[in-house]
Amino acid sequence: MAAHSAVLSASKIMNPFWVGRLGNTAKVFGTTLIRHRNKTSLTPPPAKYGGRHTVTLIPGDGIGPELLNHVREVFRFTCVPVDFEMVNVNSALETDDDMNNAITAIRRNGVALKGNIETKHTLPASVKSRNNVLRTSLDLYANVMHCQSLPGVQTRHKNIDIVIIRENTEGEYSSLEHESVSGVVESLKIITRNNSIRIADYAFKLARERGRRRVTAVHKANIMKLGDGLFLQCCREVASGYPDITFDSMIVDNTTMQLVSKPQQFDVMVMPNLYGNVVSNVCAGLVGGPGLVPGANYGRDYAVFETATRNTGKSIAEKNIANPTAMLLASCLMLDHLNLNDYASLIRNAVLTTMNETRLHTADLGGQGTTSEVVQSVMRVIQSKGQFTAEL
Amino acid sequence: METHVYHLQILNLLTKLGLSINGKDKLKPQELSQVVGALKNETPQSRTFIRGIQTVTLIPGDGIGPEISNAVMKIFEAAKAPIRWEERNVTAIRGPGGKWMIPPDAKESMDKNKIGLKGPLKTPIAAGHPSMNLLLRKTFDLYANVRPCVSIEGYQTPYTDVNLVTIRENTEGEYSGIEHVIVDGVVQSIKLITEQASKRIAEYAFEYARNNQRASVTAVHKANIMRMSDGLFLRKCREAAEKYKDVKFTEMYLDTVCLNMVQDPTQFDVLVMPNLYGDILSDLCAGLIGGLGVTPSGNIGANGVAIFESVHGTAPDIAGKDLANPTALLLSAVMMLRHMGLHGHAKKIESACFDTIRDRKVLTKDLGGNSKCSEFTEAICQRMKDMD
C-alpha cells in the first residue's frame, strides 16, 4: 500500500510534459491504484453519454414489480439521471435462459436493482434458487444491511443501529447436496479461507469508513470446529490489522438471545451465510419489519440492490398495501453507489419524513395507508424542497 | 352395556389424568384426543398409575447444580408429589476398549427409571472426552429436545403472552460433527438428514401437540436453498401431518419465522425443526421470555427415556453461595411431572412458582430481587402449604 501511494504522489507531481511521454503507463497505473484504494466502495461504472447511468432492473415476483414501478415513478419525478434496463425473469420456467440474460445485463451495466425471484421448493433439486445463482455468478460476496430504529415507527426496542455484513456466496448456501443412500441426504457447507478473509476485510474496512468502533463475529465454532473455526480464525487475523477497531465474537444462539433482550450492544456484525440469514431477519423484525430495511449486495465489480429480507410478498401482491420504504431506500443506496449523492439524500429524507406520519403507515406497520399514498407523499415532500421536478 | 363400560374406563382415566368432565359426562374433543394419545402409546403415563410412587434419577450436576437440585427436592416434598429421587453422578469414565462412557450405575438407574432430571453440567476443556451432554444424548438416543416457552408474569420482558413450544431434532442435521479439510483453506461440513430421524421427530411433534392440547404444528425449514435435505424433512412432516388430522400443519421458512417471531410471537404454537435451526430458534424463544435462567427443557429418547434439564450454565462464580435461581430446574421438573401424567401436582407447583415470582417480594438476584435461593424455595413451599 505504501508503494502504491508513493507512486500516486509521484504521478501527481508529474507535469504534463512527462505524462505525455509516459503515455499509457500512467493511465494503467492510475486505474489500478484507484481500484485498490476503493476496495469497499468500488468505482461505479462511468456515466454514459448525456451523463445518464443505465441500471438493470429485475422486477421479480410478488410485490417486486409494483414496488419497482413506484421507484421508477419517483425517479422520473425527481429527474434522476438514471435509465432502467428491464429484464424479466420468469421463475416458473425450468430453463436458465432468463437468468443468463439477467446476469449478462448486470455485467454490462455494473449495477442492478431487483425484486425477489420466487423459488418453488417443489421443483427438483437441480433447479437452484435464482437469487442464489445471481449472487454466486456475479460473486457478490458481501451482503450489507443497516438496521436503524426509525423515529416514526413504534417498536419494542429503541436506539438500534446495527450493520450486518453477511457472507453471500458460500457456507450453507453452496447448494451441494446428494443422496448417498436412499433416505440419507447430505448437504455440504463449504467455508474457505479466501472468502472468509475477504468478507472479514470488507467488514473492517466498512467499519473504519463509517467510524464504527466494534466488529462482532457470529459463529458456532464450538460445534463446527473446523468450518466456523476457520471463519473465526480468519476474522481474528484480519482484526489484528485494525487495532483501532475492537473485535469480539459470539456464538449464534447467544447472539439471538442478546438481540431480543439488548440489541443496543451490537455495532457491526460479520458472519457466514446462514447465520446471516437468521440474524438479519431478527434485526429487521426488531426495527419494524421487512418493509423498512434496504439491503445491498456488493461484489468486486458489480453491485445489486434489493430489500434486506428478500421477501416475495406473494400474499400482498397487487393489493396496493405493500410498504415501498425498503425498495425506495434501496434505490437511494444505489444512487449513493453511483455517486449521485444529492439525489440519494433528497429521496431518502423524503421517505423518512413520510415514515414519521403515522397516518400514512402501511398495513405491516399497523396502519391503513396504501402504497400509492406513501409514494405520493414522498413525491410531494420532494417537490416542496424546491428542486426541479416533473409534474406530479 | 359394552359402551357403558368403555365410557366408564375413559372417565376413570380422565379423572386420573386430572381432567375435569363438565356436566353430563360429555367428553370435549381435546380431552378425547389426549386420551387417545395416551392410550395409543405405551407412555409412562399409563405405567405410573399402576405404580404409585415413581422413582426418578436425579443428576445434580456441577456448580450451582447441587443447590438448585436440593431446592427442587424440597419443593416436591412440600407438594407431596409421589416422587422418589435416586441421585447419580455422570462424570465420564473410560470404559473397556477406551471409549468414553457414563458410569454404569448411572446408566442402569436411568434405564430402570426411564425418567431423569438433570442440573447443569460442566463442559470439559482439554479433559480428553466429549461433552457430557453429548455422551448422554448418544447413550440414550435422546432424539427430541422440547422447550416450552411461556411468558412469566412478574418477570417483565418486552414480549408478553408468549406461549409456544420448540421441538428440535437432536441427533443429526448440521451437528453431525462430520467435517473435513479438503485442501488447505477449504473446509467442508456435512449436514446429515435421514428419513428415519425426520419421521421420528415429526411424529413426536404431532404426538406432543395432541397430548398437550396444542392446536397447530409449524415445520421450519429452508427448502428453497437446501432443496434435498430440508425437502426430505418437510416431506416426512407432511406425511406425519396426514396421520394427525386433528392438529393443523403449516410450513414456514426459517427467515420468515425469525422475522415474525420478534414482531409477534403469539402467532406461533408448536414449531418442529432440524438441529441447527432448532438450536438458534429455541434460544431466541428463551430470550423472549427472559433467558436461560427461567426456561425449562426436556429431552425425549427412544425406549421411553426422558431426561428433563435446566439449560443454563453451571455459574461457578455463585456456586455454593445460596444465590442461584432454581426456576429453570423447577419448571423442567414440572414438565417432567406432566410427562408422567401427574398433572395435579404439576399445576400446583407451577402456580406456586409463578405466583411467587408475580408477587415480586422474594426474588433471586437474576430476577431483579435480592433474596437467597433458600428464601425463594421457602416462599414457594409456604405458598403450597397455604393452598392445601
Side-chain angles (χ1 to χ4, degrees), chain A residues 55-268:
Chain A
V55 167
T56 311
L57 191 75
I58 303 174
D61 302 306
I63 50 173
E66 63 187 87
L67 291 183
L68 287 171
N69 276 338
H70 287 304
V71 168
R72 277 197 296 183
E73 210 179 309
V74 172
F75 273 29
R76 207 191 55 237
F77 178 76
T78 323
C79 302
V80 174
V82 167
D83 290 318
F84 286 109
E85 182 192 339
M86 187 135 97
V87 185
N88 271 311
V89 174
N90 191 343
S91 57
L93 295 177
E94 289 193 21
T95 56
D96 287 329
D97 290 338
D98 285 355
M99 266 329 285
N100 289 336
N101 289 341
I103 293 172
T104 317
I106 302 177
R107 285 213 168 100
R108 188 168 47 235
N109 296 323
V111 178
L113 186 61
K114 76 183 257 289
N116 199 39
I117 307 167
E118 190 193 346
T119 311
K120 290 190 173 54
H121 60 259
T122 44
L123 291 173
S126 47
V127 184
K128 305 207 186 304
S129 155
R130 298 283 165 85
N131 304 302
N132 202 19
V133 165
L134 201 135
R135 290 193 289 270
T136 44
S137 317
L138 297 170
D139 199 23
L140 302 169
Y141 63 89
N143 178 298
V144 181
M145 176 173 148
H146 187 185
C147 288
Q148 260 178 316
S149 295
L150 294 179
V153 179
Q154 275 286 40
T155 50
R156 290 183 177 90
H157 307 270
K158 316 258 179 269
N159 297 328
I160 301 176
D161 192 356
I162 309 175
V163 178
I164 299 170
I165 298 164
R166 159 189 176 186
E167 211 291 327
N168 220 3
T169 51
E170 56 172 23
E172 296 81 351
Y173 287 38
S174 45
S175 300
L176 295 164
E177 295 178 301
H178 51 267
E179 191 164 357
S180 34
V181 177
S182 167
V184 176
V185 176
E186 288 185 352
S187 176
L188 302 180
K189 162 179 164 165
I190 312 282
I191 302 270
T192 55
R193 164 173 283 278
N194 283 347
N195 287 350
S196 304
I197 291 199
R198 196 167 59 162
I199 193 70
D201 205 38
Y202 187 90
F204 278 92
K205 280 218 166 67
L206 193 134
R208 185 175 267 174
E209 261 177 31
R210 297 196 191 181
R212 297 283 187 154
R213 297 264 58 99
R214 218 174 100 213
V215 172
T216 309
V218 177
H219 63 96
K220 190 86 191 164
N222 51 343
I223 305 284
M224 290 188 251
K225 298 188 173 68
L226 289 181
D228 285 352
L230 176 61
F231 180 79
L232 200 55
Q233 193 191 352
C234 293
C235 288
R236 285 209 181 100
E237 275 173 32
V238 174
S240 57
Y242 292 81
D244 51 328
I245 300 177
T246 330
F247 171 73
D248 56 2
S249 61
M250 205 184 256
I251 301 186
V252 62
D253 37 10
N254 191 18
T255 310
T256 47
M257 233 190 308
Q258 298 290 330
L259 275 171
V260 290
S261 42
K262 261 190 310 155
Q264 295 82 4
Q265 62 181 293
F266 295 105
D267 195 359
V268 176

Side-chain angles (χ1 to χ4, degrees), chain A residues 119-121 123-125 127-129 132 135 156-157 172-173 175 177-179 182-194 220 223-228 230 252-254 256-257 260-261 274-275 277-278 281-282 284-286 288-290 309 311 364, chain B residues 158-160 174-175 177-182 184-196 221-230 232 234-235 238 251 253-256 258-259 261-265 276-277 279-281 283-284 286-288 291-292:
Chain A
T119 311
K120 290 190 173 54
H121 60 259
L123 291 173
V127 184
K128 305 207 186 304
S129 155
N132 202 19
R135 290 193 289 270
R156 290 183 177 90
H157 307 270
E172 296 81 351
Y173 287 38
S175 300
E177 295 178 301
H178 51 267
E179 191 164 357
S182 167
V184 176
V185 176
E186 288 185 352
S187 176
L188 302 180
K189 162 179 164 165
I190 312 282
I191 302 270
T192 55
R193 164 173 283 278
N194 283 347
K220 190 86 191 164
I223 305 284
M224 290 188 251
K225 298 188 173 68
L226 289 181
D228 285 352
L230 176 61
V252 62
D253 37 10
N254 191 18
T256 47
M257 233 190 308
V260 290
S261 42
L274 184 68
Y275 312 143
N277 186 254
V278 171
N281 276 278
V282 169
L286 290 175
T309 46
N311 302 98
D364 60 314
Chain B
Y159 298 89
T160 53
E174 296 82 349
Y175 294 1
I178 312 170
E179 292 185 294
H180 328 282
V181 178
I182 308 181
D184 189 29
V186 179
V187 175
Q188 157 188 306
S189 196
I190 298 190
K191 162 178 165 166
L192 203 64
I193 299 274
T194 58
E195 196 174 317
Q196 192 198 10
H221 65 97
K222 262 215 92 62
N224 51 348
I225 303 289
M226 290 183 257
R227 204 71 61 79
M228 281 173 82
S229 31
D230 282 353
L232 175 60
L234 214 51
R235 265 203 313 278
R238 285 194 195 122
E251 338 175 326
Y253 286 130
L254 173 66
D255 36 7
T256 319
C258 288
L259 194 56
M261 183 73 77
V262 291
Q263 294 182 277
D264 181 23
L276 177 68
Y277 314 149
D279 193 10
I280 302 178
L281 270 181
D283 277 0
L284 179 66
L288 295 177
L292 296 177

